[in-house]
Amino acid sequence: MWVSIVAIVFGVGAMVLVFSSRFGVDPRLVDSPLIGEPVPDIELEQLNGQGPLALTDLQGDVLVINFWASWCFPCRGEHPALTAAARDYRDQGVTIVGMIYQDQPGPVNAFLDELGRGGDNYRYLLDPNSRCAVEFGVFGVRETYFVNAEGIIVGKIQGGVTAGALRSTLDQILAGELPTL
């Protein structure tokens, strides 16, 4: 009888340990070896034809770098949250970078014509050879990185971003805090 009681207590304790270790943590939020590192110094062509732009040229702004594609159906769902964040944080030094992943300008422009474009603080960069995606270690679309004004990567979300997650993370970064992703 005592063996059964000990086994049950041990089993319950193990379950509590396993389940409590991840409760309250969004499973899409993942560690990245890039957290705490400078944003890669990569220069890419802008979708709008205004020439090349390096991510390091945007230092001084808080960046939200979102890897997406027109062929990615779930990207349609997060697009309104990203354009709203660009609008809401325009005057606070936030720039959204739509990193176009394995896609072509024609379908990308059709996507943006249908769903809307961000304002002047929303940059769309072409990554035709996935050079930037490789530098960031992207597994596939929908991945979003957050970069502070000093050019240091401070957070990553794998999967879709929500308006709430964007607001919370940007508010923390703008307050000089590390985001609690």
Side-chain angles (χ1 to χ4, degrees):
M1 172 133 171
W2 285 105
V3 172
S4 296
I5 293 173
V6 169
I8 290 171
V9 169
F10 179 76
V12 169
M15 288 175 46
V16 167
L17 180 65
V18 168
F19 287 116
S20 68
S21 66
R22 292 291 295 172
F23 278 120
V25 176
D26 190 330
R28 297 170 302 158
L29 305 175
V30 295
D31 287 332
S32 168
L34 292 178
I35 304 294
E37 297 295 323
V39 69
D41 187 13
I42 297 174
E43 184 176 88
L44 298 169
E45 289 294 321
Q46 296 183 70
L47 177 66
N48 62 10
Q50 291 183 335
L53 178 70
L55 293 176
T56 54
D57 291 344
L58 299 171
Q59 189 166 336
D61 285 358
V62 170
L63 305 180
V64 177
I65 302 172
N66 175 259
F67 287 84
W68 70 284
S70 65
W71 47 261
C72 165
F73 185 75
C75 293
R76 299 175 80 76
E78 73 180 6
H79 186 72
L82 291 159
T83 55
R87 181 188 62 245
D88 295 345
Y89 288 90
R90 171 178 290 122
D91 297 329
Q92 296 180 51
V94 173
T95 297
I96 311 291
V97 178
M99 195 64 66
I100 301 163
Y101 178 79
Q102 297 183 358
D103 209 341
Q104 299 298 315
V108 168
N109 279 314
F111 177 102
L112 295 172
D113 289 344
E114 177 186 345
L115 296 177
R117 298 171 191 267
D120 58 351
N121 64 325
Y122 201 130
R123 306 294 187 89
Y124 300 98
L125 299 180
L126 298 166
D127 189 16
N129 298 319
S130 300
R131 199 171 50 128
C132 189
V134 168
E135 287 289 326
F136 275 88
V138 170
F139 289 104
V141 287
R142 299 190 302 160
E143 288 190 26
T144 303
Y145 290 83
F146 296 89
V147 180
N148 66 18
E150 291 76 37
I152 304 299
I153 299 169
V154 294
K156 174 186 177 183
I157 294 178
Q158 183 148 350
V161 295
T162 63
L166 285 167
R167 260 192 316 276
S168 171
T169 303
L170 287 170
D171 288 345
Q172 290 173 49
I173 294 170
L174 289 167
E177 304 168 3
L178 287 175
T180 55
L181 295 176

